[in-house]
Amino acid sequence: MTNKTRKAAACVVLFCSLLLGCSGMNENGADAPVRASSEVQDEVEKVSSSILEILSLKAKMTEAGAMISPCEGGVYRAHHPWGIYGPPAKDLEEAMNRLRSQLPEKGWKIVKDGPDDSRAKSPQIVADSADGKFSVDARFHGRKSDDPAQLEITVQSACFRPDSASPS
């Protein structure tokens, strides 16, 4: 991954964190369940794997694991940013269409489907799991520069309070 791509991915992660936050997912820290951080990270990575299955692409992927970050009010969430690149833009667009059609079939509620707020107005799908425990943000970046076309995905958990054995 080039430095330019790493910087773009970091910006997307920050933007997704600001966009998704803990909104709609137990915003009140007192209501957040007590969970082991490692358990929540594992669950987020499993959700990412299920999203990858829906996308059904043979492609190169970024290799970042799930991370813990703070929500407001002394609670935390796990988020897993990753990306897919390599296939032609047309194949990545088709993968976004599969996501659009199959997420609701698998119990997800699409809460946004349209251009993101970036200058490029990249196509974006944001969906929440039926149980309210996870959210996914998928963006398609077509080839508009020297960077290859790619899908950027961020899966994150609802906010939780780490148990006393969990590192925060």
Side-chain angles (χ1 to χ4, degrees), residues 79-144:
H79 67 275
H80 185 211
W82 50 280
I84 297 176
Y85 59 98
K90 179 180 96 55
D91 293 351
L92 294 173
E93 253 181 309
E94 289 171 2
M96 275 291 273
N97 288 332
R98 280 191 293 279
L99 198 61
R100 182 176 289 111
S101 67
Q102 291 184 31
L103 281 173
E105 292 174 10
K106 297 187 182 291
W108 289 78
K109 179 181 179 187
I110 294 179
V111 295
K112 179 176 182 181
D113 186 356
D116 67 9
D117 294 331
S118 71
R119 185 180 296 169
K121 302 292 182 205
S122 298
Q124 176 186 30
I125 297 171
V126 178
D128 295 331
S129 63
D131 61 10
K133 292 181 180 180
F134 302 98
S135 185
V136 62
D137 182 329
R139 296 168 196 242
F140 170 66
H141 300 285
R143 188 178 173 101
K144 294 183 178 158

Tab-separated table of all heavy atoms in Angstrom, residues 79-144:
chain	number	residue	atom	x	y	z
A	79	HIS	N	-13.666	-1.185	15.868
A	79	HIS	CA	-13.894	-0.897	14.455
A	79	HIS	C	-12.815	-1.593	13.625
A	79	HIS	O	-11.706	-1.797	14.090
A	79	HIS	CB	-13.982	0.609	14.169
A	79	HIS	CG	-12.697	1.333	14.374
A	79	HIS	ND1	-12.293	1.799	15.600
A	79	HIS	CD2	-11.714	1.683	13.512
A	79	HIS	CE1	-11.119	2.405	15.487
A	79	HIS	NE2	-10.741	2.343	14.233
A	80	HIS	N	-13.228	-1.991	12.421
A	80	HIS	CA	-12.339	-2.732	11.539
A	80	HIS	C	-12.378	-2.109	10.146
A	80	HIS	O	-13.273	-2.399	9.356
A	80	HIS	CB	-12.794	-4.196	11.483
A	80	HIS	CG	-11.864	-5.065	10.702
A	80	HIS	ND1	-12.314	-6.162	9.996
A	80	HIS	CD2	-10.530	-5.017	10.504
A	80	HIS	CE1	-11.280	-6.750	9.409
A	80	HIS	NE2	-10.192	-6.068	9.696
A	81	PRO	N	-11.414	-1.235	9.868
A	81	PRO	CA	-11.338	-0.653	8.520
A	81	PRO	C	-10.510	-1.557	7.615
A	81	PRO	O	-9.480	-2.086	8.019
A	81	PRO	CB	-10.616	0.677	8.770
A	81	PRO	CG	-9.750	0.403	9.955
A	81	PRO	CD	-10.485	-0.618	10.792
A	82	TRP	N	-10.984	-1.768	6.405
A	82	TRP	CA	-10.236	-2.568	5.438
A	82	TRP	C	-10.649	-2.153	4.036
A	82	TRP	O	-11.630	-1.446	3.856
A	82	TRP	CB	-10.427	-4.067	5.666
A	82	TRP	CG	-11.838	-4.542	5.796
A	82	TRP	CD1	-12.630	-4.459	6.912
A	82	TRP	CD2	-12.642	-5.167	4.797
A	82	TRP	NE1	-13.872	-4.998	6.658
A	82	TRP	CE2	-13.905	-5.446	5.377
A	82	TRP	CE3	-12.413	-5.528	3.472
A	82	TRP	CZ2	-14.936	-6.065	4.668
A	82	TRP	CZ3	-13.448	-6.150	2.775
A	82	TRP	CH2	-14.676	-6.418	3.379
A	83	GLY	N	-9.869	-2.571	3.078
A	83	GLY	CA	-10.154	-2.195	1.704
A	83	GLY	C	-9.865	-3.335	0.752
A	83	GLY	O	-9.140	-4.272	1.070
A	84	ILE	N	-10.491	-3.234	-0.414
A	84	ILE	CA	-10.304	-4.208	-1.490
A	84	ILE	C	-9.881	-3.436	-2.730
A	84	ILE	O	-10.498	-2.431	-3.070
A	84	ILE	CB	-11.614	-4.958	-1.792
A	84	ILE	CG1	-12.045	-5.762	-0.577
A	84	ILE	CG2	-11.455	-5.862	-3.002
A	84	ILE	CD1	-13.375	-6.439	-0.759
A	85	TYR	N	-8.851	-3.929	-3.398
A	85	TYR	CA	-8.392	-3.289	-4.621
A	85	TYR	C	-7.836	-4.348	-5.563
A	85	TYR	O	-7.576	-5.465	-5.162
A	85	TYR	CB	-7.346	-2.214	-4.306
A	85	TYR	CG	-6.125	-2.741	-3.600
A	85	TYR	CD1	-4.969	-3.025	-4.306
A	85	TYR	CD2	-6.125	-2.965	-2.222
A	85	TYR	CE1	-3.842	-3.525	-3.672
A	85	TYR	CE2	-5.008	-3.463	-1.577
A	85	TYR	CZ	-3.874	-3.739	-2.304
A	85	TYR	OH	-2.773	-4.241	-1.666
A	86	GLY	N	-7.711	-3.985	-6.802
A	86	GLY	CA	-7.149	-4.908	-7.793
A	86	GLY	C	-8.079	-5.187	-8.952
A	86	GLY	O	-7.676	-5.067	-10.105
A	87	PRO	N	-9.338	-5.586	-8.684
A	87	PRO	CA	-10.241	-5.859	-9.803
A	87	PRO	C	-10.593	-4.576	-10.553
A	87	PRO	O	-10.470	-3.474	-9.996
A	87	PRO	CB	-11.499	-6.431	-9.144
A	87	PRO	CG	-11.088	-6.837	-7.782
A	87	PRO	CD	-9.946	-5.933	-7.412
A	88	PRO	N	-11.081	-4.713	-11.780
A	88	PRO	CA	-11.525	-3.527	-12.519
A	88	PRO	C	-12.663	-2.811	-11.767
A	88	PRO	O	-13.414	-3.436	-11.007
A	88	PRO	CB	-12.036	-4.088	-13.844
A	88	PRO	CG	-11.487	-5.468	-13.950
A	88	PRO	CD	-11.223	-5.947	-12.559
A	89	ALA	N	-12.779	-1.525	-12.007
A	89	ALA	CA	-13.819	-0.716	-11.350
A	89	ALA	C	-15.204	-1.324	-11.548
A	89	ALA	O	-16.034	-1.317	-10.623
A	89	ALA	CB	-13.770	0.721	-11.871
A	90	LYS	N	-15.467	-1.869	-12.733
A	90	LYS	CA	-16.775	-2.475	-13.025
A	90	LYS	C	-17.081	-3.611	-12.054
A	90	LYS	O	-18.195	-3.727	-11.544
A	90	LYS	CB	-16.785	-2.976	-14.474
A	90	LYS	CG	-18.077	-3.652	-14.905
A	90	LYS	CD	-18.013	-4.108	-16.343
A	90	LYS	CE	-17.642	-5.453	-16.562
A	90	LYS	NZ	-17.735	-6.691	-16.425
A	91	ASP	N	-16.097	-4.441	-11.750
A	91	ASP	CA	-16.289	-5.551	-10.808
A	91	ASP	C	-16.541	-5.043	-9.390
A	91	ASP	O	-17.352	-5.613	-8.654
A	91	ASP	CB	-15.075	-6.479	-10.810
A	91	ASP	CG	-14.898	-7.223	-12.130
A	91	ASP	OD1	-15.807	-7.154	-12.992
A	91	ASP	OD2	-13.843	-7.860	-12.305
A	92	LEU	N	-15.851	-3.979	-9.010
A	92	LEU	CA	-16.055	-3.401	-7.683
A	92	LEU	C	-17.445	-2.772	-7.576
A	92	LEU	O	-18.105	-2.885	-6.542
A	92	LEU	CB	-14.963	-2.374	-7.372
A	92	LEU	CG	-13.549	-2.946	-7.242
A	92	LEU	CD1	-12.529	-1.819	-7.117
A	92	LEU	CD2	-13.440	-3.900	-6.073
A	93	GLU	N	-17.890	-2.141	-8.658
A	93	GLU	CA	-19.247	-1.578	-8.682
A	93	GLU	C	-20.298	-2.669	-8.533
A	93	GLU	O	-21.278	-2.516	-7.804
A	93	GLU	CB	-19.480	-0.825	-10.003
A	93	GLU	CG	-19.492	0.660	-9.841
A	93	GLU	CD	-19.754	1.358	-11.169
A	93	GLU	OE1	-19.073	1.047	-12.160
A	93	GLU	OE2	-20.643	2.216	-11.164
A	94	GLU	N	-20.096	-3.781	-9.222
A	94	GLU	CA	-21.018	-4.913	-9.122
A	94	GLU	C	-21.028	-5.468	-7.700
A	94	GLU	O	-22.075	-5.865	-7.188
A	94	GLU	CB	-20.646	-6.001	-10.127
A	94	GLU	CG	-20.939	-5.618	-11.563
A	94	GLU	CD	-20.370	-6.597	-12.588
A	94	GLU	OE1	-19.762	-7.621	-12.189
A	94	GLU	OE2	-20.528	-6.327	-13.796
A	95	ALA	N	-19.872	-5.472	-7.047
A	95	ALA	CA	-19.792	-5.943	-5.660
A	95	ALA	C	-20.602	-5.018	-4.740
A	95	ALA	O	-21.284	-5.485	-3.825
A	95	ALA	CB	-18.338	-6.012	-5.204
A	96	MET	N	-20.540	-3.719	-4.993
A	96	MET	CA	-21.355	-2.768	-4.210
A	96	MET	C	-22.835	-3.056	-4.431
A	96	MET	O	-23.632	-2.988	-3.490
A	96	MET	CB	-21.049	-1.316	-4.606
A	96	MET	CG	-19.876	-0.684	-3.929
A	96	MET	SD	-20.084	-0.347	-2.175
A	96	MET	CE	-20.841	1.267	-2.198
A	97	ASN	N	-23.218	-3.377	-5.660
A	97	ASN	CA	-24.617	-3.702	-5.942
A	97	ASN	C	-25.052	-4.976	-5.204
A	97	ASN	O	-26.175	-5.052	-4.711
A	97	ASN	CB	-24.852	-3.842	-7.445
A	97	ASN	CG	-24.814	-2.500	-8.144
A	97	ASN	OD1	-25.113	-1.460	-7.557
A	97	ASN	ND2	-24.426	-2.510	-9.402
A	98	ARG	N	-24.144	-5.958	-5.093
A	98	ARG	CA	-24.460	-7.173	-4.325
A	98	ARG	C	-24.673	-6.816	-2.857
A	98	ARG	O	-25.597	-7.316	-2.208
A	98	ARG	CB	-23.341	-8.217	-4.463
A	98	ARG	CG	-23.397	-8.995	-5.754
A	98	ARG	CD	-22.445	-10.183	-5.733
A	98	ARG	NE	-21.037	-9.807	-5.710
A	98	ARG	CZ	-20.332	-9.447	-6.777
A	98	ARG	NH1	-20.900	-9.388	-7.967
A	98	ARG	NH2	-19.056	-9.138	-6.669
A	99	LEU	N	-23.832	-5.944	-2.356
A	99	LEU	CA	-23.968	-5.502	-0.967
A	99	LEU	C	-25.325	-4.820	-0.765
A	99	LEU	O	-26.051	-5.117	0.188
A	99	LEU	CB	-22.820	-4.541	-0.642
A	99	LEU	CG	-22.504	-4.273	0.816
A	99	LEU	CD1	-22.105	-5.541	1.536
A	99	LEU	CD2	-21.388	-3.243	0.906
A	100	ARG	N	-25.661	-3.958	-1.682
A	100	ARG	CA	-26.932	-3.213	-1.634
A	100	ARG	C	-28.134	-4.161	-1.605
A	100	ARG	O	-29.091	-3.951	-0.868
A	100	ARG	CB	-27.004	-2.282	-2.844
A	100	ARG	CG	-28.205	-1.412	-2.938
A	100	ARG	CD	-28.114	-0.459	-4.128
A	100	ARG	NE	-27.109	0.577	-3.883
A	100	ARG	CZ	-25.947	0.680	-4.526
A	100	ARG	NH1	-25.632	-0.170	-5.493
A	100	ARG	NH2	-25.100	1.640	-4.241
A	101	SER	N	-28.085	-5.212	-2.413
A	101	SER	CA	-29.233	-6.124	-2.483
A	101	SER	C	-29.217	-7.182	-1.385
A	101	SER	O	-30.277	-7.560	-0.882
A	101	SER	CB	-29.305	-6.787	-3.857
A	101	SER	OG	-28.211	-7.649	-4.055
A	102	GLN	N	-28.050	-7.644	-0.976
A	102	GLN	CA	-27.997	-8.757	-0.031
A	102	GLN	C	-27.994	-8.357	1.438
A	102	GLN	O	-28.390	-9.158	2.289
A	102	GLN	CB	-26.792	-9.644	-0.335
A	102	GLN	CG	-26.954	-10.393	-1.649
A	102	GLN	CD	-25.814	-11.350	-1.911
A	102	GLN	OE1	-25.211	-11.898	-0.995
A	102	GLN	NE2	-25.512	-11.562	-3.190
A	103	LEU	N	-27.552	-7.149	1.760
A	103	LEU	CA	-27.581	-6.745	3.175
A	103	LEU	C	-28.996	-6.838	3.747
A	103	LEU	O	-29.187	-7.455	4.803
A	103	LEU	CB	-26.994	-5.345	3.373
A	103	LEU	CG	-25.475	-5.247	3.391
A	103	LEU	CD1	-25.029	-3.795	3.432
A	103	LEU	CD2	-24.882	-6.018	4.563
A	104	PRO	N	-30.016	-6.249	3.091
A	104	PRO	CA	-31.372	-6.363	3.646
A	104	PRO	C	-31.854	-7.825	3.732
A	104	PRO	O	-32.545	-8.190	4.689
A	104	PRO	CB	-32.233	-5.559	2.674
A	104	PRO	CG	-31.286	-4.588	2.048
A	104	PRO	CD	-29.987	-5.338	1.940
A	105	GLU	N	-31.467	-8.638	2.770
A	105	GLU	CA	-31.840	-10.056	2.799
A	105	GLU	C	-31.241	-10.766	3.997
A	105	GLU	O	-31.777	-11.769	4.469
A	105	GLU	CB	-31.377	-10.758	1.522
A	105	GLU	CG	-32.093	-10.328	0.266
A	105	GLU	CD	-31.496	-10.938	-0.996
A	105	GLU	OE1	-30.633	-11.843	-0.889
A	105	GLU	OE2	-31.889	-10.503	-2.090
A	106	LYS	N	-30.124	-10.253	4.509
A	106	LYS	CA	-29.450	-10.867	5.652
A	106	LYS	C	-29.760	-10.136	6.955
A	106	LYS	O	-29.058	-10.303	7.953
A	106	LYS	CB	-27.943	-10.919	5.391
A	106	LYS	CG	-27.612	-11.803	4.190
A	106	LYS	CD	-26.143	-11.995	4.019
A	106	LYS	CE	-25.818	-12.838	2.811
A	106	LYS	NZ	-26.205	-14.223	2.914
A	107	GLY	N	-30.811	-9.307	6.932
A	107	GLY	CA	-31.273	-8.675	8.159
A	107	GLY	C	-30.685	-7.309	8.474
A	107	GLY	O	-30.938	-6.760	9.538
A	108	TRP	N	-29.921	-6.742	7.576
A	108	TRP	CA	-29.348	-5.421	7.794
A	108	TRP	C	-30.329	-4.359	7.306
A	108	TRP	O	-31.054	-4.574	6.339
A	108	TRP	CB	-28.040	-5.278	7.018
A	108	TRP	CG	-26.903	-6.080	7.576
A	108	TRP	CD1	-26.707	-7.413	7.416
A	108	TRP	CD2	-25.826	-5.599	8.363
A	108	TRP	NE1	-25.558	-7.795	8.055
A	108	TRP	CE2	-24.991	-6.697	8.650
A	108	TRP	CE3	-25.478	-4.344	8.855
A	108	TRP	CZ2	-23.836	-6.575	9.407
A	108	TRP	CZ3	-24.326	-4.226	9.599
A	108	TRP	CH2	-23.516	-5.330	9.875
A	109	LYS	N	-30.298	-3.201	7.944
A	109	LYS	CA	-31.116	-2.074	7.506
A	109	LYS	C	-30.186	-1.023	6.892
A	109	LYS	O	-29.300	-0.489	7.564
A	109	LYS	CB	-31.872	-1.461	8.685
A	109	LYS	CG	-32.716	-0.278	8.261
A	109	LYS	CD	-33.434	0.350	9.425
A	109	LYS	CE	-34.242	1.540	8.899
A	109	LYS	NZ	-34.837	2.296	9.974
A	110	ILE	N	-30.395	-0.734	5.619
A	110	ILE	CA	-29.587	0.296	4.962
A	110	ILE	C	-30.122	1.659	5.409
A	110	ILE	O	-31.295	1.954	5.226
A	110	ILE	CB	-29.614	0.143	3.434
A	110	ILE	CG1	-28.918	-1.171	3.048
A	110	ILE	CG2	-28.945	1.344	2.748
A	110	ILE	CD1	-28.890	-1.484	1.568
A	111	VAL	N	-29.238	2.447	6.017
A	111	VAL	CA	-29.639	3.763	6.521
A	111	VAL	C	-29.141	4.899	5.633
A	111	VAL	O	-29.579	6.034	5.780
A	111	VAL	CB	-29.191	3.971	7.989
A	111	VAL	CG1	-29.909	2.988	8.909
A	111	VAL	CG2	-27.684	3.845	8.151
A	112	LYS	N	-28.219	4.566	4.721
A	112	LYS	CA	-27.769	5.553	3.726
A	112	LYS	C	-27.325	4.800	2.484
A	112	LYS	O	-26.612	3.803	2.573
A	112	LYS	CB	-26.610	6.396	4.254
A	112	LYS	CG	-26.126	7.401	3.208
A	112	LYS	CD	-25.045	8.313	3.699
A	112	LYS	CE	-24.699	9.286	2.580
A	112	LYS	NZ	-23.651	10.193	2.940
A	113	ASP	N	-27.750	5.287	1.335
A	113	ASP	CA	-27.334	4.719	0.057
A	113	ASP	C	-27.294	5.875	-0.937
A	113	ASP	O	-28.311	6.280	-1.475
A	113	ASP	CB	-28.312	3.634	-0.409
A	113	ASP	CG	-27.825	2.910	-1.662
A	113	ASP	OD1	-26.778	3.297	-2.212
A	113	ASP	OD2	-28.512	1.954	-2.076
A	114	GLY	N	-26.113	6.409	-1.129
A	114	GLY	CA	-25.956	7.551	-2.019
A	114	GLY	C	-24.544	8.086	-1.944
A	114	GLY	O	-23.660	7.441	-1.383
A	115	PRO	N	-24.322	9.261	-2.477
A	115	PRO	CA	-22.964	9.822	-2.468
A	115	PRO	C	-22.531	10.206	-1.052
A	115	PRO	O	-23.347	10.635	-0.236
A	115	PRO	CB	-23.073	11.051	-3.362
A	115	PRO	CG	-24.518	11.401	-3.369
A	115	PRO	CD	-25.275	10.133	-3.146
A	116	ASP	N	-21.233	10.013	-0.774
A	116	ASP	CA	-20.712	10.450	0.517
A	116	ASP	C	-20.492	11.962	0.494
A	116	ASP	O	-20.830	12.629	-0.496
A	116	ASP	CB	-19.442	9.687	0.898
A	116	ASP	CG	-18.233	9.970	0.008
A	116	ASP	OD1	-18.279	10.899	-0.830
A	116	ASP	OD2	-17.232	9.256	0.144
A	117	ASP	N	-19.954	12.499	1.549
A	117	ASP	CA	-19.772	13.948	1.657
A	117	ASP	C	-18.432	14.430	1.115
A	117	ASP	O	-18.103	15.601	1.267
A	117	ASP	CB	-19.911	14.382	3.119
A	117	ASP	CG	-21.319	14.163	3.652
A	117	ASP	OD1	-22.268	14.213	2.851
A	117	ASP	OD2	-21.470	13.935	4.866
A	118	SER	N	-17.668	13.548	0.495
A	118	SER	CA	-16.373	13.950	-0.037
A	118	SER	C	-16.549	14.767	-1.313
A	118	SER	O	-17.621	14.784	-1.920
A	118	SER	CB	-15.515	12.709	-0.346
A	118	SER	OG	-16.036	12.027	-1.476
A	119	ARG	N	-15.493	15.393	-1.731
A	119	ARG	CA	-15.501	16.163	-2.970
A	119	ARG	C	-15.813	15.265	-4.163
A	119	ARG	O	-16.489	15.669	-5.104
A	119	ARG	CB	-14.145	16.836	-3.168
A	119	ARG	CG	-14.114	17.758	-4.375
A	119	ARG	CD	-12.770	18.414	-4.562
A	119	ARG	NE	-12.482	19.275	-3.426
A	119	ARG	CZ	-11.311	19.831	-3.179
A	119	ARG	NH1	-10.308	19.617	-3.992
A	119	ARG	NH2	-11.132	20.597	-2.135
A	120	ALA	N	-15.355	14.016	-4.085
A	120	ALA	CA	-15.572	13.071	-5.181
A	120	ALA	C	-17.006	12.519	-5.208
A	120	ALA	O	-17.409	11.913	-6.188
A	120	ALA	CB	-14.588	11.910	-5.067
A	121	LYS	N	-17.762	12.712	-4.113
A	121	LYS	CA	-19.140	12.194	-4.021
A	121	LYS	C	-19.164	10.688	-4.317
A	121	LYS	O	-19.972	10.197	-5.101
A	121	LYS	CB	-20.094	12.940	-4.965
A	121	LYS	CG	-20.157	14.434	-4.708
A	121	LYS	CD	-20.810	14.697	-3.380
A	121	LYS	CE	-20.928	16.190	-3.114
A	121	LYS	NZ	-21.000	16.493	-1.698
A	122	SER	N	-18.278	9.956	-3.658
A	122	SER	CA	-18.175	8.516	-3.857
A	122	SER	C	-19.438	7.802	-3.401
A	122	SER	O	-20.019	8.168	-2.372
A	122	SER	CB	-16.981	7.962	-3.066
A	122	SER	OG	-15.784	8.536	-3.529
A	123	PRO	N	-19.874	6.778	-4.121
A	123	PRO	CA	-21.032	5.996	-3.687
A	123	PRO	C	-20.772	5.374	-2.313
A	123	PRO	O	-19.688	4.838	-2.065
A	123	PRO	CB	-21.163	4.915	-4.757
A	123	PRO	CG	-20.485	5.488	-5.959
A	123	PRO	CD	-19.364	6.323	-5.416
A	124	GLN	N	-21.768	5.461	-1.450
A	124	GLN	CA	-21.626	4.986	-0.075
A	124	GLN	C	-22.883	4.250	0.350
A	124	GLN	O	-24.002	4.676	0.061
A	124	GLN	CB	-21.395	6.180	0.858
A	124	GLN	CG	-21.330	5.822	2.322
A	124	GLN	CD	-21.251	7.049	3.225
A	124	GLN	OE1	-21.774	8.104	2.887
A	124	GLN	NE2	-20.603	6.894	4.354
A	125	ILE	N	-22.680	3.135	1.056
A	125	ILE	CA	-23.770	2.405	1.682
A	125	ILE	C	-23.435	2.296	3.165
A	125	ILE	O	-22.337	1.849	3.526
A	125	ILE	CB	-23.931	0.982	1.085
A	125	ILE	CG1	-24.297	1.064	-0.394
A	125	ILE	CG2	-24.984	0.192	1.865
A	125	ILE	CD1	-24.256	-0.279	-1.110
A	126	VAL	N	-24.363	2.716	4.018
A	126	VAL	CA	-24.224	2.559	5.462
A	126	VAL	C	-25.400	1.712	5.915
A	126	VAL	O	-26.550	1.988	5.552
A	126	VAL	CB	-24.225	3.919	6.199
A	126	VAL	CG1	-24.116	3.724	7.703
A	126	VAL	CG2	-23.091	4.809	5.689
A	127	ALA	N	-25.115	0.672	6.700
A	127	ALA	CA	-26.178	-0.224	7.160
A	127	ALA	C	-25.930	-0.614	8.616
A	127	ALA	O	-24.787	-0.693	9.067
A	127	ALA	CB	-26.235	-1.469	6.286
A	128	ASP	N	-27.035	-0.854	9.322
A	128	ASP	CA	-26.991	-1.311	10.712
A	128	ASP	C	-27.528	-2.724	10.783
A	128	ASP	O	-28.509	-3.064	10.103
A	128	ASP	CB	-27.845	-0.408	11.606
A	128	ASP	CG	-27.301	1.015	11.684
A	128	ASP	OD1	-26.077	1.200	11.551
A	128	ASP	OD2	-28.111	1.935	11.889
A	129	SER	N	-26.910	-3.552	11.624
A	129	SER	CA	-27.392	-4.919	11.806
A	129	SER	C	-28.746	-4.895	12.504
A	129	SER	O	-29.070	-3.939	13.229
A	129	SER	CB	-26.388	-5.751	12.613
A	129	SER	OG	-26.232	-5.210	13.916
A	130	ALA	N	-29.528	-5.920	12.300
A	130	ALA	CA	-30.875	-5.995	12.863
A	130	ALA	C	-30.848	-5.915	14.389
A	130	ALA	O	-31.747	-5.331	14.998
A	130	ALA	CB	-31.567	-7.279	12.409
A	131	ASP	N	-29.807	-6.477	15.018
A	131	ASP	CA	-29.737	-6.460	16.473
A	131	ASP	C	-29.133	-5.168	17.023
A	131	ASP	O	-29.035	-4.985	18.234
A	131	ASP	CB	-28.955	-7.672	16.991
A	131	ASP	CG	-27.515	-7.717	16.488
A	131	ASP	OD1	-27.021	-6.740	15.879
A	131	ASP	OD2	-26.864	-8.764	16.700
A	132	GLY	N	-28.721	-4.258	16.136
A	132	GLY	CA	-28.171	-2.979	16.562
A	132	GLY	C	-26.761	-3.056	17.110
A	132	GLY	O	-26.244	-2.074	17.631
A	133	LYS	N	-26.103	-4.192	16.962
A	133	LYS	CA	-24.764	-4.355	17.532
A	133	LYS	C	-23.642	-3.936	16.590
A	133	LYS	O	-22.511	-3.747	17.023
A	133	LYS	CB	-24.544	-5.808	17.957
A	133	LYS	CG	-25.413	-6.223	19.123
A	133	LYS	CD	-25.117	-7.655	19.505
A	133	LYS	CE	-25.977	-8.087	20.683
A	133	LYS	NZ	-25.705	-9.489	21.059
A	134	PHE	N	-23.947	-3.816	15.273
A	134	PHE	CA	-22.898	-3.517	14.307
A	134	PHE	C	-23.393	-2.553	13.243
A	134	PHE	O	-24.583	-2.473	12.962
A	134	PHE	CB	-22.413	-4.803	13.613
A	134	PHE	CG	-21.889	-5.813	14.575
A	134	PHE	CD1	-22.692	-6.857	15.003
A	134	PHE	CD2	-20.609	-5.706	15.078
A	134	PHE	CE1	-22.225	-7.776	15.922
A	134	PHE	CE2	-20.133	-6.616	16.003
A	134	PHE	CZ	-20.947	-7.659	16.429
A	135	SER	N	-22.440	-1.855	12.658
A	135	SER	CA	-22.720	-0.963	11.541
A	135	SER	C	-21.620	-1.174	10.509
A	135	SER	O	-20.484	-1.481	10.859
A	135	SER	CB	-22.721	0.485	12.034
A	135	SER	OG	-23.097	1.351	10.999
A	136	VAL	N	-21.985	-1.036	9.241
A	136	VAL	CA	-21.007	-1.155	8.164
A	136	VAL	C	-21.110	0.077	7.274
A	136	VAL	O	-22.204	0.583	7.027
A	136	VAL	CB	-21.201	-2.453	7.338
A	136	VAL	CG1	-22.540	-2.493	6.660
A	136	VAL	CG2	-20.088	-2.624	6.312
A	137	ASP	N	-19.965	0.590	6.854
A	137	ASP	CA	-19.878	1.728	5.943
A	137	ASP	C	-19.022	1.278	4.772
A	137	ASP	O	-17.853	0.928	4.951
A	137	ASP	CB	-19.228	2.914	6.663
A	137	ASP	CG	-19.145	4.168	5.818
A	137	ASP	OD1	-19.022	4.064	4.578
A	137	ASP	OD2	-19.178	5.262	6.386
A	138	ALA	N	-19.608	1.218	3.582
A	138	ALA	CA	-18.893	0.791	2.371
A	138	ALA	C	-18.872	1.945	1.383
A	138	ALA	O	-19.894	2.587	1.149
A	138	ALA	CB	-19.591	-0.416	1.756
A	139	ARG	N	-17.709	2.199	0.800
A	139	ARG	CA	-17.554	3.271	-0.188
A	139	ARG	C	-16.788	2.747	-1.394
A	139	ARG	O	-15.813	2.032	-1.255
A	139	ARG	CB	-16.790	4.439	0.402
A	139	ARG	CG	-17.536	5.078	1.544
A	139	ARG	CD	-16.630	6.028	2.299
A	139	ARG	NE	-17.233	6.326	3.570
A	139	ARG	CZ	-17.609	7.535	3.947
A	139	ARG	NH1	-17.416	8.557	3.154
A	139	ARG	NH2	-18.152	7.726	5.128
A	140	PHE	N	-17.270	3.148	-2.559
A	140	PHE	CA	-16.615	2.770	-3.807
A	140	PHE	C	-15.874	3.989	-4.335
A	140	PHE	O	-16.453	5.058	-4.524
A	140	PHE	CB	-17.651	2.302	-4.834
A	140	PHE	CG	-17.074	2.134	-6.210
A	140	PHE	CD1	-16.133	1.157	-6.471
A	140	PHE	CD2	-17.467	2.966	-7.238
A	140	PHE	CE1	-15.596	1.005	-7.737
A	140	PHE	CE2	-16.937	2.823	-8.507
A	140	PHE	CZ	-15.996	1.840	-8.757
A	141	HIS	N	-14.587	3.808	-4.552
A	141	HIS	CA	-13.758	4.870	-5.123
A	141	HIS	C	-13.324	4.415	-6.509
A	141	HIS	O	-12.466	3.540	-6.641
A	141	HIS	CB	-12.536	5.149	-4.242
A	141	HIS	CG	-12.903	5.579	-2.862
A	141	HIS	ND1	-13.375	6.838	-2.578
A	141	HIS	CD2	-12.913	4.905	-1.683
A	141	HIS	CE1	-13.638	6.936	-1.285
A	141	HIS	NE2	-13.368	5.778	-0.716
A	142	GLY	N	-13.957	4.985	-7.533
A	142	GLY	CA	-13.601	4.668	-8.910
A	142	GLY	C	-12.262	5.278	-9.242
A	142	GLY	O	-11.749	6.138	-8.535
A	143	ARG	N	-11.687	4.852	-10.304
A	143	ARG	CA	-10.363	5.355	-10.700
A	143	ARG	C	-10.503	6.759	-11.285
A	143	ARG	O	-10.884	6.919	-12.434
A	143	ARG	CB	-9.737	4.398	-11.702
A	143	ARG	CG	-8.322	4.745	-12.011
A	143	ARG	CD	-7.745	3.728	-12.986
A	143	ARG	NE	-6.457	4.178	-13.399
A	143	ARG	CZ	-5.316	3.700	-12.908
A	143	ARG	NH1	-5.333	2.746	-12.042
A	143	ARG	NH2	-4.160	4.175	-13.328
A	144	LYS	N	-10.182	7.745	-10.474
A	144	LYS	CA	-10.242	9.137	-10.926
A	144	LYS	C	-8.879	9.810	-10.793
A	144	LYS	O	-8.756	10.999	-10.949
A	144	LYS	CB	-11.280	9.909	-10.112
A	144	LYS	CG	-12.685	9.388	-10.374
A	144	LYS	CD	-13.711	10.178	-9.640
A	144	LYS	CE	-15.072	9.621	-9.999
A	144	LYS	NZ	-16.096	9.895	-9.078
